[in-house]
Amino acid sequence: MGIKDTAEEWQVTETATPFTGNKTSVRTDRVVMPDGSAVTRDYQVHPGSVAVLALDEQGRVLILKQYRHPVRQRLWEIPAGLLDIPGENPLHAAQRELFEEAHVKAEDWRVLTDVYTTPGGCDEAVRVFLARGLSEAEGERFEVSEEEADMEFARVPLQELVRGVLAGELHNNCLVVGVLALTAVLRDGEAGLAALRPADAPWPARPFEA
């Protein structure tokens, strides 16, 4: 059908950054509309993120439970983290997050999907990887702190996570997108997995060094 998102940028006549935080900031742009009028748009500027749907040989997904203060809930999530370094290779960042959060490594990596989390109010782009061929990482565990110091871990069958998503029991966006996307992929078995993009596939939303 040729249905796909396209790049476009409307004219910005003014811009300001009224708030700058530790990792993100807020930007205010004056944007010219198609009829020539101008409106103000406030949005969060975000470095981008990666997430890892780690699938073991028993068809279970590695998940973790973490407190998220903005929503006042402990959410079951898949390993994820920020692209801390501008231009960082997202695969390297994903491998780092899987090691740091779960002390796990994977032999096979593919791009599962790319998403904008909240494009109406934030420019965050997330690349969700599928990681298979899991094993325990070597060396000492990464020392965690703050919310990560209180995480719980589990390996849950994929279809149980799908059930939880559809029942309104699981809400983390990367987990929701990841498990539903993988379910669609697996309808075609190995052919579906083989059709996934390679781990180093281009990512226009967050260009990176190979």
Side-chain angles (χ1 to χ4, degrees), residues 144-163:
V144 296
S145 61
E146 301 174 350
E147 289 92 343
E148 292 183 349
D150 192 37
M151 291 190 299
E152 300 175 41
F153 295 88
R155 294 195 183 200
V156 180
L158 176 64
Q159 289 309 309
E160 175 61 19
L161 295 178
V162 172
R163 185 208 61 77

Side-chain angles (χ1 to χ4, degrees), residues 8 11 19 39 69 76 94 110 134 143 145 150 153 157-158 165 171 177 179-180 184 190 201:
E8 186 169 342
Q11 182 184 3
F19 170 79
V39 300
H69 187 70
W76 283 107
R110 301 292 179 93
L134 308 184
E143 185 175 347
S145 61
D150 192 37
F153 295 88
L158 176 64
V165 167
H171 306 89
V177 169
V179 301
L180 296 182
E190 287 300 320

Side-chain angles (χ1 to χ4, degrees), residues 125-137:
V126 181
R127 171 156 281 189
V128 183
F129 288 91
L130 172 64
R132 296 184 297 161
L134 308 184
S135 61
E136 290 296 315

Side-chain angles (χ1 to χ4, degrees), residues 49 51 68 75-78 80 113 115-119 124-126 128 165 170-181:
S49 306
R68 293 301 188 182
L75 302 179
W76 283 107
E77 307 178 353
I78 58 177
T113 188
V115 295
Y116 291 114
T117 54
T118 49
E124 180 183 15
V126 181
V128 183
V165 167
L170 299 170
H171 306 89
N172 175 263
N173 57 355
C174 291
L175 183 148
V176 170
V177 169
V179 301
L180 296 182

Side-chain angles (χ1 to χ4, degrees), residues 35-170:
D35 64 1
S37 63
V39 300
T40 298
R41 292 289 179 261
D42 301 317
Y43 58 100
Q44 182 184 21
V45 178
H46 193 285
S49 306
V50 291
V52 184
L53 195 152
L55 185 71
D56 69 17
E57 294 180 354
Q58 288 75 47
R60 302 174 302 174
V61 177
L62 172 63
I63 58 174
L64 54 92
K65 197 173 191 181
Q66 184 172 352
Y67 177 66
R68 293 301 188 182
H69 187 70
V71 296
R72 308 302 199 271
Q73 290 192 26
R74 287 172 60 89
L75 302 179
W76 283 107
E77 307 178 353
I78 58 177
L82 297 176
L83 290 167
D84 295 310
I85 305 169
E88 182 178 18
N89 187 307
L91 174 60
H92 299 166
Q95 292 170 331
R96 180 187 67 235
E97 293 300 330
L98 185 61
F99 169 77
E100 291 183 356
E101 293 192 346
H103 200 65
V104 167
K105 63 180 181 179
E107 296 299 322
D108 184 80
W109 291 82
R110 301 292 179 93
V111 175
L112 186 54
T113 188
D114 298 324
V115 295
Y116 291 114
T117 54
T118 49
C122 179
D123 71 350
E124 180 183 15
V126 181
R127 171 156 281 189
V128 183
F129 288 91
L130 172 64
R132 296 184 297 161
L134 308 184
S135 61
E136 290 296 315
E138 300 173 354
E140 295 183 4
R141 293 188 68 93
F142 182 80
E143 185 175 347
V144 296
S145 61
E146 301 174 350
E147 289 92 343
E148 292 183 349
D150 192 37
M151 291 190 299
E152 300 175 41
F153 295 88
R155 294 195 183 200
V156 180
L158 176 64
Q159 289 309 309
E160 175 61 19
L161 295 178
V162 172
R163 185 208 61 77
V165 167
L166 299 180
E169 298 169 354
L170 299 170

